[in-house]
Amino acid sequence: MNQIGENLFYQKFDNGLKAFVLPKKNFNKVYAIYSTKYGSIDSEFVVPATGERLKVPEGIAHFLEHKMFEMPYGNVFDKFAELGTSSNAYTNYTSTTYLFSATSAFEENLKLLLEFVETPYFTKESVEKEKGIITQELRMYEDDPEWQVMLNLLRALYHKHPVREDIGGTVDSIQKIDVDTLYKCYNTFYHPSNMVIFVTGAVEPDQVFEIIMEHEEKKNLPPQDEIIRIYPEEPNTVNMPHIDVKLSVSRPLFLLGFKDADVGYDGTELLKKEITLNLLLEVIFGKSSPVYEKLYEEGLIDDRFGFSYEGQRDYGFCTIGGETKDPGKLKDELVNSLNEVKVKGLNEEDFERVKKKFLGDFIQGFDSLEFIANSFVSYYHRNINIFDFPETLKRITFEEANCRLYEFFDFNRMAVSTVYPKEKE
Amino acid sequence: MQEEVGGLSSVFSRRILDNGINLYTCSTDKFKTITICAFIHQNLEKSTATKTALLPFVLKRGSLNFPNSRLISRYLEELYGADFGADIIKKGERQIIQFFIEVVNPKYTGAENNIIDEGLRLFKDIILNPLTEGSAFKKDYVEQEKDVLRRIIEALFNDKFNYAIERCFQEMCKGEPFSIYKYGSVTDLSEIGSENLYSFYKTVISSNPMDIFVLGEVDEEQIYVKLNGLFSFERKEKELAKTIMVKEVEQEKFVEEKQDVNQGKLSMGFRTGTRYGDEDFYALMVYNSILGGGPHSKLFQNVREKESLAYYAFSRLEKSKGLMLISCGIDFDKVEKTIDIVKKQIRDIKEGLFSDYEFESSKKSLINSLKEAADSPSMIISLYLDGIINGIEESIEEIIAKVQSVTKEDVVNVAQKIKLDTVYFLNKNSRGESL
């Protein structure tokens, strides 16, 4: 049992699959996820079976996620529904995750999850039909200004890296998706050695491992070598200093970002960098900062102002912003305050206090099974153990944070994205 | 007498503070946090909606002992990132001011001071000791927060998904209090000043019904004594109006609005004739689940899976007002086809044309989500509050038992009462494609 009162159980299976269980005895629910390290950025790779180097249409990882629910007998949603269970899935830049949330019939549910994620079944007809559904999903995001301002920021920050493309692709790119390519993607990235299972809630670890063991033994899949993923060479500079668009909104939306040049590693070092940068952002722009107070009182921001850093092995960026009446002024103020803090350095008392907040927030997260499972997997795919969070946080020194401050917030690697309202007709 | 069943722990015990405030407590070690919420109830009315909405915004800016937001945030950070907030919720024709604070149980952080007491100190100060200048709120705060509230009201326009739902309800319930937005209106903001808002605050705090909830690992007796001491002030409670449920539809309405958008948003508003507190409400829950409550539902299966018309298509209930809303995002030229399919699903349920699979899956799915709600402090409190507003206090276990006993016949019966009132469609501007 660790400091925050949780126990984690682990087992590795012969085919390379790993499973983790975190029991929460007094919860009603079981939340289970089956996740592959395969997201929208993995758009070029070598097919292991043939050695063929393949570039696939944008949005195919997400398309594949939709189609995985199709089974030879119909739709697996229906099977989960018979058990009263809600099932779902999500795709992001680096992973695809399938999940269910159940309060009864755990064994049947887990078997169903294993079975459907391990059964690719794509037909020409159903692939064509899905294009209509996903087109509507993409249209929905086209009308979502917060999503658009974010997408444009990534387009401004990155020249070539596929993180600059929408996770779902475009209405045009998904038209190019076919059955054959879907199978190639599946067979490359859905090998057990590239996947992880995480179960939390009202379960016994032994029972979970037994069910998985029995299931995987039947499959008897041969091991697979490391997948070769091909990413374009990405310069450290930004692609464009700003991107502006007009949408049907009441006020401008503004996002400022910095591109991380210190990339190429994962594991605890990446965790440390991620926490350090998030601490910095909180100290400089958080609600207890003089900057936040000033911008708020000037009416440039409100509670919807936000910031975060996201770090992956091969890319990283931070975003700062929100809705504002004056994007130009907000940009100047944010830049000035960063300049100022770079000259003066951080305040140590603020730094220590924000560390306390981060510890509390982390522990608070463990009241939510969704938070536990989704964060665990997101860290796992980056070779990070989530339970290293408190210790890593504790070890970050004031000096290290100050160093990171000068290094990261380099204005040569800054870009901004703005959504302006359309003129009234 | 209520007993805890299995791992469920949604049972509150109710006590009344000396001045009449209701205190609901539930001691459980299931969660790592202790959640404290206060709800101040108000009639949803045009004359008071905007003023009421502004109160939590102004109050959370600062109080007598915590005079500005920065100090409050620093204080919360010292309490290991305690969550604190104040906002407005709308349930039926009731507008509710909500304050909450959530602190991490000190046994997990190694905190030495009494975090609950420290949290309560701030909580009480924000609600009861506002920062004043004479007999007015601090003027700067009122002016700044009026601007924030204006922006928040106007930002609904950015969120086309919720915009299309809110607009449907507005058109449908024109002339009824329910058509008022939970944050009030921009036009009513201009007449609010720091003085009239402060006198309004004093009336609200001393006469509107108030409930406090505490959920987490606490000693219930001690918490009662503490809160009775902290919240001891003179009040004389007024009675609130009950939400009016309109059952009949004089004429179906179709409302179309045009904007520069890429996807059409269809909302359909219905009068169900049934609300929380009625015997057949649980049958309505099952009805709604069959129609549009998830992947097993008729809307998902027919609008999305069979016809590929939409990515999302669902129905939901407004349980205090007896309304049902259907929402989906579709191509502009598919609106008639979609409405036809939706209407057919509704006719089918009315005629009893739903399978055992649809019926059983719907019940199980409802029960699953109710049990899941018992794993979340905010959901436990929200569900209980729904009951209080509608004059019933029941645990999640009791709701489950009632859903369980619903028959197919009950569903068909409740279906007969459901009437389409308003179809709202957010269309694109005819000027053509946006780039």
Side-chain angles (χ1 to χ4, degrees):
Chain A
M1 183 97 51
N2 54 35
Q3 182 199 351
I4 61 168
E6 305 290 357
N7 262 323
L8 183 69
F9 298 83
Y10 159 74
Q11 192 163 323
K12 188 177 175 180
F13 301 90
D14 291 342
N15 58 18
L17 181 65
K18 290 176 190 162
F20 297 82
V21 181
L22 190 133
K24 295 277 259 184
K25 291 239 161 56
N26 46 11
F27 275 61
N28 297 319
K29 177 164 75 176
V30 177
Y31 186 81
I33 64 187
Y34 199 172
S35 179
T36 167
K37 190 179 174 180
Y38 169 51
S40 63
I41 64 165
D42 300 303
S43 51
E44 196 172 356
F45 55 89
V46 175
V47 180
T50 58
E52 170 198 10
R53 183 172 165 154
L54 189 64
K55 189 150 173 38
V56 293
E58 290 148 26
I60 197 167
H62 169 256
F63 199 103
L64 179 57
E65 172 228 297
H66 273 236
K67 284 332 295 167
M68 285 310 297
F69 287 85
E70 197 96 15
M71 295 291 277
Y73 55 75
N75 199 313
V76 75
F77 272 136
D78 304 350
K79 295 273 178 195
F80 278 113
E82 274 174 36
L83 299 169
T85 301
S86 60
S87 59
N88 213 333
Y90 60 88
T91 306
N92 55 32
Y93 293 114
T94 54
S95 63
T96 311
T97 303
Y98 301 85
L99 61 97
F100 73 77
S101 175
T103 52
S104 61
F106 170 69
E107 183 168 348
E108 286 101 312
N109 279 305
L110 182 60
K111 284 181 177 165
L112 208 48
L113 177 71
L114 296 169
E115 186 190 304
F116 97 82
V117 176
E118 295 173 10
T119 311
Y121 179 76
F122 317 125
T123 62
K124 191 162 186 293
E125 193 196 357
S126 79
V127 167
E128 290 311 309
K129 195 201 71 186
E130 202 66 30
K131 288 177 182 172
I133 296 172
I134 294 181
T135 297
Q136 288 312 317
E137 188 177 0
L138 295 173
R139 293 276 184 241
M140 180 180 80
Y141 283 112
E142 285 172 10
D143 285 336
D144 180 344
E146 295 190 19
W147 182 249
Q148 293 304 318
V149 78
M150 179 73 189
L151 270 184
N152 285 334
L153 179 65
L154 293 174
R155 283 183 192 128
L157 288 173
Y158 289 90
H159 299 260
K160 292 181 186 148
H161 194 279
V163 72
R164 70 191 303 280
E165 309 294 346
D166 195 339
I167 293 163
T170 65
V171 172
D172 287 337
S173 76
I174 62 164
Q175 304 310 320
K176 297 176 205 138
I177 292 171
D178 59 26
V179 169
D180 183 50
T181 323
L182 284 170
Y183 275 111
K184 280 181 181 160
C185 290
Y186 180 87
N187 290 326
T188 305
F189 292 104
Y190 283 64
H191 189 274
S193 57
N194 192 43
M195 303 185 72
V196 64
I197 294 172
F198 187 90
V199 183
T200 180
V203 284
E204 288 292 339
D206 287 346
Q207 191 204 0
V208 177
F209 295 139
E210 253 169 59
I211 298 168
I212 300 173
M213 172 82 91
E214 202 178 302
H215 184 88
E216 295 302 316
E217 272 177 351
K218 273 189 292 188
K219 299 261 158 176
N220 203 15
L221 265 179
Q224 180 183 280
D225 288 338
E226 189 78 26
I227 302 160
I228 301 164
R229 303 162 198 250
I230 300 153
Y231 303 115
E233 191 83 18
E234 174 68 31
N236 276 339
T237 55
V238 299
N239 180 30
M240 280 177 262
H242 65 95
I243 295 182
D244 303 335
V245 294
K246 283 181 179 173
L247 282 174
S248 173
V249 293
S250 58
R251 271 190 186 71
L253 265 79
F254 170 83
L255 218 48
L256 178 149
F258 284 90
K259 180 177 183 172
D260 196 350
D262 174 30
V263 292
Y265 56 91
D266 57 14
T268 316
E269 275 309 293
L270 175 59
L271 175 65
K272 192 171 179 184
K273 178 176 74 174
E274 183 175 279
I275 301 175
T276 308
L277 282 164
N278 279 312
L279 281 169
L280 284 169
L281 289 166
E282 189 72 45
V283 170
I284 302 169
F285 298 114
K287 284 188 178 172
S288 65
S289 70
V291 175
Y292 185 94
E293 185 176 53
K294 178 165 181 273
L295 298 176
Y296 190 102
E297 287 181 353
E298 287 174 3
L300 284 168
I301 61 166
D302 51 49
D303 274 6
R304 295 168 295 166
F305 177 77
F307 43 80
S308 78
Y309 169 82
E310 187 191 324
Q312 294 289 340
R313 199 193 63 189
D314 296 310
Y315 67 88
F317 56 86
C318 85
T319 60
I320 309 163
E323 188 190 291
T324 182
K325 62 180 177 189
D326 190 342
K329 185 147 188 242
L330 179 57
K331 181 193 167 186
D332 291 344
E333 296 270 10
L334 293 173
V335 168
N336 289 343
S337 51
L338 278 169
N339 267 325
E340 203 174 312
V341 72
K342 277 161 87 176
V343 173
K344 288 204 293 199
L346 295 175
N347 173 314
E348 189 158 6
E349 193 192 313
D350 293 343
F351 176 74
E352 293 302 330
R353 199 183 58 246
V354 168
K355 275 174 87 173
K356 262 180 148 174
K357 170 182 162 60
F358 273 40
L359 178 63
D361 288 351
F362 178 76
I363 295 168
Q364 214 163 2
F366 279 77
D367 272 354
S368 155
L369 301 186
E370 289 85 350
F371 170 86
I372 300 171
N374 296 326
S375 332
F376 180 91
V377 163
S378 151
Y379 283 126
Y380 173 84
H381 288 317
R382 292 177 279 164
N383 280 319
I384 297 166
N385 175 355
I386 191 174
F387 291 102
D388 287 342
F389 186 99
E391 192 51 36
T392 308
L393 171 68
K394 200 169 136 193
R395 276 199 317 238
I396 296 169
T397 65
F398 181 61
E399 289 69 32
E400 282 171 322
N402 264 317
C403 283
R404 182 67 68 181
L405 167 72
Y406 299 108
E407 189 188 296
F408 181 81
F409 294 101
D410 178 341
F411 295 113
N412 293 314
R413 290 196 301 270
M414 181 181 87
V416 298
S417 161
T418 315
V419 169
Y420 288 98
K422 287 189 170 164
E423 291 96 26
K424 292 263 186 300
E425 283 137 40
Chain B
M1 227 187 72
Q2 294 175 334
E3 274 181 63
E4 248 182 66
V5 185
L8 302 179
S9 54
S10 63
V11 183
F12 287 95
S13 51
R14 174 179 172 217
R15 296 173 206 225
I16 300 172
L17 304 187
D18 294 341
N19 61 4
I21 294 174
N22 296 305
L23 172 65
Y24 297 89
T25 54
C26 172
S27 178
T28 168
D29 62 0
K30 179 166 171 170
F31 305 111
K32 294 193 191 309
T33 53
I34 294 130
T35 305
I36 301 160
C37 287
F39 300 101
I40 302 174
H41 300 253
Q42 173 78 300
N43 291 323
L44 183 63
E45 281 170 9
K46 172 118 179 68
S47 61
T48 51
T50 313
K51 277 196 270 189
T52 304
L54 190 56
L55 282 179
F57 287 84
V58 170
L59 291 173
K60 74 178 169 193
R61 282 299 301 279
S63 61
L64 189 64
N65 298 302
F66 300 89
N68 66 56
S69 306
R70 232 183 112 200
L71 278 174
I72 294 169
S73 300
R74 293 171 76 114
Y75 187 78
L76 292 166
E77 284 166 2
E78 286 291 356
L79 300 180
Y80 288 88
D83 269 349
F84 165 77
D87 203 355
I88 290 289
I89 40 185
K90 171 178 157 184
K91 290 182 187 266
E93 287 167 352
R94 227 182 242 191
Q95 192 186 17
I96 301 163
I97 307 173
Q98 178 194 28
F99 299 92
F100 70 90
I101 188 160
E102 195 178 344
V103 297
V104 178
N105 191 326
K107 77 178 182 195
Y108 300 112
T109 53
E112 278 165 18
N113 48 2
N114 192 336
I115 278 205
I116 301 175
D117 287 354
E118 304 273 312
L120 277 174
R121 203 158 79 80
L122 172 75
F123 192 68
K124 174 237 162 114
D125 214 51
I126 294 285
I127 301 172
L128 297 181
N129 298 328
L131 192 61
T132 52
E133 298 168 339
S135 58
F137 282 125
K138 188 177 157 82
K139 192 159 185 274
D140 287 352
Y141 288 176
V142 173
E143 290 311 313
Q144 286 162 12
E145 293 309 309
K146 276 169 69 178
D147 194 40
V148 170
L149 189 58
R150 174 182 298 119
R151 280 180 247 149
I152 288 177
I153 293 170
E154 289 173 351
L156 179 63
F157 181 77
N158 303 353
D159 178 359
K160 306 301 178 199
F161 174 90
N162 284 308
Y163 179 85
I165 292 173
E166 188 68 28
R167 286 286 296 119
C168 181
F169 279 140
Q170 274 175 10
E171 292 292 337
M172 177 172 171
C173 300
K174 240 180 205 165
E176 298 170 55
F178 192 75
S179 65
I180 299 163
Y181 188 41
K182 67 173 178 172
Y183 290 124
S185 74
V186 170
T187 46
D188 291 337
L189 271 172
S190 55
E191 64 202 41
I192 303 176
S194 55
E195 259 174 64
N196 64 22
L197 189 65
Y198 183 62
S199 69
F200 178 70
Y201 158 80
K202 287 204 290 194
T203 318
V204 168
I205 207 78
S206 60
S207 61
N208 283 62
M210 185 165 169
D211 299 315
I212 299 178
F213 282 78
V214 180
L215 178 74
E217 196 174 0
V218 290
D219 180 324
E220 296 188 44
E221 182 58 35
Q222 265 184 27
I223 276 286
Y224 167 77
V225 173
K226 268 179 200 166
L227 286 167
N228 201 30
L230 285 169
F231 284 78
S232 65
F233 60 98
E234 280 286 317
R235 39 195 302 282
K236 197 168 186 309
E237 199 164 301
K238 70 171 181 189
E239 195 146 339
L240 293 185
K242 204 169 187 282
T243 297
I244 293 165
M245 177 166 65
V246 177
K247 296 182 182 176
E248 296 307 319
V249 177
E250 278 175 25
Q251 202 185 358
E252 277 181 27
K253 284 179 272 189
F254 180 84
V255 181
E256 188 185 60
E257 193 175 331
K258 291 183 175 177
Q259 290 179 13
D260 256 322
V261 287
N262 296 297
Q263 183 181 56
K265 297 274 194 283
L266 176 67
S267 307
M268 297 169 77
F270 297 78
R271 309 270 182 187
T272 67
T274 301
R275 66 168 155 200
Y276 195 22
D278 294 341
E279 281 287 314
D280 56 354
F281 177 72
Y282 308 91
L284 181 65
M285 287 171 78
V286 177
Y287 170 93
N288 177 61
S289 183
I290 296 173
L291 179 64
H296 61 277
S297 70
K298 286 189 178 289
L299 292 179
F300 189 94
Q301 288 299 329
N302 291 287
V303 177
R304 173 175 150 141
E305 293 298 306
K306 267 204 195 106
E307 301 285 345
S308 305
L309 288 168
Y311 168 65
Y312 70 90
F314 65 86
S315 64
R316 71 156 81 130
L317 298 174
E318 204 311 340
K319 49 185 167 180
S320 304
K321 176 79 179 164
L323 305 178
M324 182 175 76
L325 182 111
I326 290 175
S327 166
C328 46
I330 53 175
D331 253 347
F332 302 104
D333 57 359
K334 297 285 164 48
V335 61
E336 274 152 39
K337 187 175 178 187
T338 310
I339 293 172
D340 284 348
I341 294 171
V342 170
K343 284 185 172 169
K344 178 169 189 312
Q345 310 315 310
I346 288 173
R347 262 196 323 271
D348 281 356
I349 307 182
K350 218 171 176 174
E351 289 165 14
L353 296 174
F354 52 91
S355 64
D356 286 343
Y357 159 77
E358 287 174 297
F359 177 66
E360 289 302 331
S361 302
S362 296
K363 274 169 81 168
K364 282 184 186 163
S365 150
L366 272 176
I367 291 166
N368 188 47
S369 38
L370 284 162
K371 284 185 179 168
E372 285 188 13
D375 286 344
S376 150
S378 60
M379 282 305 298
I380 295 172
I381 293 172
S382 174
L383 280 174
Y384 210 78
L385 186 65
D386 287 340
I388 293 173
I389 288 167
N390 289 284
I392 26 174
E393 291 185 21
E394 60 179 359
S395 65
I396 292 178
E397 300 83 72
E398 288 168 298
I399 304 174
I400 290 172
K402 286 176 186 159
V403 168
Q404 193 67 64
S405 68
V406 170
T407 65
K408 280 179 117 175
E409 206 188 339
D410 296 334
V411 173
V412 175
N413 285 338
V414 87
Q416 309 306 315
K417 294 158 72 179
I418 292 166
K419 298 182 181 86
L420 176 61
D421 187 302
T422 300
V423 177
Y424 170 91
F425 187 56
L426 179 59
N427 206 339
K428 68 175 170 184
N429 274 331
S430 45
R431 286 202 310 151
E433 299 296 309
S434 53
L435 286 175

